[in-house]
Amino acid sequence: MEASNQSAVTEFVLLGLSAHPKLEKTFFVLILSMYLVILLGNGVLILVTILDSRLHTPMYFFLGNLSFLDICYTTFSIPLVLDGFLTPRKTISFSGCAMQMFLSFAMGATECVLLGMMAFDRYVAICNPLRYPVVMSKAVYVPMAISSWVAGGANSLVQISLAVQLPFCGDNVINHFICEILAVLKLACADISINVISMGVANVIFLGVPVLFIFVSYIFILTTILRIPSAEGRKKAFSTCSAHLTVVVVFYGTILFMYGKPKSKDPLGADKQDLSDKLISLFYGLLTPMLNPIIYSLRNKDVKTAVRYLVAQKRFTQ
């Protein structure tokens, strides 16, 4: 009978901003606007990397993957968040929640690996330019991108498989906008130490290792750039990796801000702390996908030229 009660949860209630109904319409408009910018910006970036043959290089292939990933990441969660702002009772099925956690986890891990591979691409391009066509041939960079998606999916499958096997004893209210895995694990009525250990190992592999790899790559890159005798040469070399470096700083900087900020010890401020944590987590999921195409458009001459060329070509055909 006890086991039956534990497995009775068939859906979850997403708390969202239920306690702050006056904020829902404001955030609906704000988040919808950001989501449309994400779709437009990343969609244009994918389009130009496909249509402009000058951008058929490893760096822009990885960039196209990153843009596609950002569209997928937000599309799997933001429409549900927007619907929640308009719906009095925000529910999601157990299987739907598991699928959302899987896709969110997979996209996050894949992006970490992709950023590491993009750093390797910049390292080879600047530190070993003569060998670049051989080292980063199509036979190499396509499997690299595929392996990042496979690694992210495999990691997510392990984490979510462990999570869905946990018993849930009736409390099905998730204090979040979406099925965030840590918020879901809090509802389990069993020991979650295995889940915590597994996620810790995954964080080391998919967060720690790429960060270390990117850091070491940029030490070699900066050392090589500083050896270039002319100021114009140094500027040109640095401009080829400045967009990627900016994206890395934004991506990992927001993660550090989310999980590194001190928690309030004032019990009276617990509700405000909860609200701020949820909003920070939500906007983190929107900030990097929105900024990525902007950064690459503003700081990359090739992308700006390709966009102008496609716009001019469109006008000419009309």
Side-chain angles (χ1 to χ4, degrees):
M1 185 68 180
E2 185 181 0
S4 176
N5 288 338
Q6 288 182 347
S7 61
V9 173
T10 58
E11 67 176 16
F12 292 103
V13 177
L14 299 169
L15 206 55
L17 287 176
S18 299
H20 307 273
K22 292 182 180 179
L23 295 176
E24 291 189 320
K25 289 183 180 179
T26 303
F27 278 103
F28 176 86
V29 174
L30 178 60
I31 290 167
L32 177 61
S33 302
M34 294 177 73
Y35 180 54
L36 293 176
V37 170
I38 289 167
L39 293 180
L40 178 63
N42 287 287
V44 168
L45 211 50
I46 292 171
L47 197 62
V48 296
T49 57
I50 291 173
L51 297 180
D52 195 319
S53 58
R54 292 168 296 182
L55 301 184
H56 292 175
T57 63
M59 182 174 75
Y60 295 110
F61 178 75
F62 287 130
L63 180 57
N65 273 262
L66 189 64
S67 292
F68 179 68
L69 183 148
D70 285 339
I71 289 175
C72 293
Y73 180 81
T74 50
T75 300
F76 293 141
S77 57
I78 298 306
L80 180 68
V81 173
L82 293 172
D83 180 64
F85 288 143
L86 304 176
T87 308
R89 183 174 171 81
K90 310 154 184 68
T91 60
I92 184 171
S93 67
F94 189 93
S95 57
C97 185
M99 180 58 69
Q100 192 178 79
M101 287 191 296
F102 170 79
L103 294 171
S104 177
F105 225 98
M107 297 300 107
T110 301
E111 182 157 2
C112 290
V113 179
L114 269 176
L115 289 174
M117 290 182 175
M118 291 171 80
F120 176 73
D121 172 74
R122 294 298 83 208
Y123 161 75
V124 178
I126 293 173
C127 299
N128 295 284
L130 297 178
R131 297 190 61 204
Y132 183 75
V134 177
V135 176
M136 294 302 295
S137 65
K138 192 172 183 178
V140 174
Y141 70 75
V142 172
M144 284 174 67
I146 293 172
S147 66
S148 69
W149 287 89
V150 171
N155 170 58
S156 183
L157 186 62
V158 171
Q159 305 306 328
I160 306 310
S161 296
L162 290 173
V164 297
Q165 290 178 34
L166 293 169
F168 295 91
C169 306
D171 185 3
N172 65 338
V173 178
I174 298 174
N175 189 17
H176 213 285
F177 296 98
I178 59 173
C179 284
E180 200 268 337
I181 191 165
L182 292 177
V184 173
L185 289 178
K186 289 178 181 178
L187 304 181
C189 53
D191 183 17
I192 60 169
S193 57
I194 293 177
N195 302 75
V196 172
I197 293 170
S198 177
M199 289 177 64
V201 172
N203 286 340
V204 170
I205 296 172
F206 288 93
L207 280 174
V209 173
V211 166
L212 182 62
F213 185 78
I214 291 168
F215 179 73
V216 172
S217 296
Y218 272 100
I219 287 177
F220 285 108
I221 288 169
L222 290 174
T223 303
T224 302
I225 289 174
L226 291 174
R227 288 176 183 164
I228 298 173
S230 68
E232 185 63 29
R234 289 194 296 271
K235 183 180 177 181
K236 186 177 179 181
F238 185 74
S239 68
T240 64
C241 59
S242 60
H244 173 258
L245 186 58
T246 305
V247 167
V248 167
V249 170
V250 170
F251 180 74
Y252 287 105
T254 48
I255 290 178
L256 287 174
F257 176 76
M258 271 177 60
Y259 296 107
K261 66 186 183 69
K263 300 289 184 183
S264 173
K265 294 182 180 180
D266 180 9
L268 297 176
D271 288 342
K272 290 183 179 179
Q273 180 75 52
D274 265 355
L275 177 61
S276 67
D277 286 348
K278 287 190 291 185
L279 290 174
I280 289 170
S281 177
L282 176 63
F283 280 101
Y284 160 71
L286 287 163
L287 185 65
T288 48
M290 186 178 72
L291 290 180
N292 285 353
I294 296 172
I295 292 167
Y296 272 99
S297 298
L298 293 177
R299 302 186 67 88
N300 193 293
K301 187 178 178 181
D302 293 337
V303 173
K304 285 191 285 188
T305 302
V307 171
R308 289 195 197 104
Y309 174 76
L310 289 175
V311 170
Q313 194 177 45
K314 179 72 174 176
R315 287 176 180 171
F316 179 76
T317 55
Q318 288 177 344

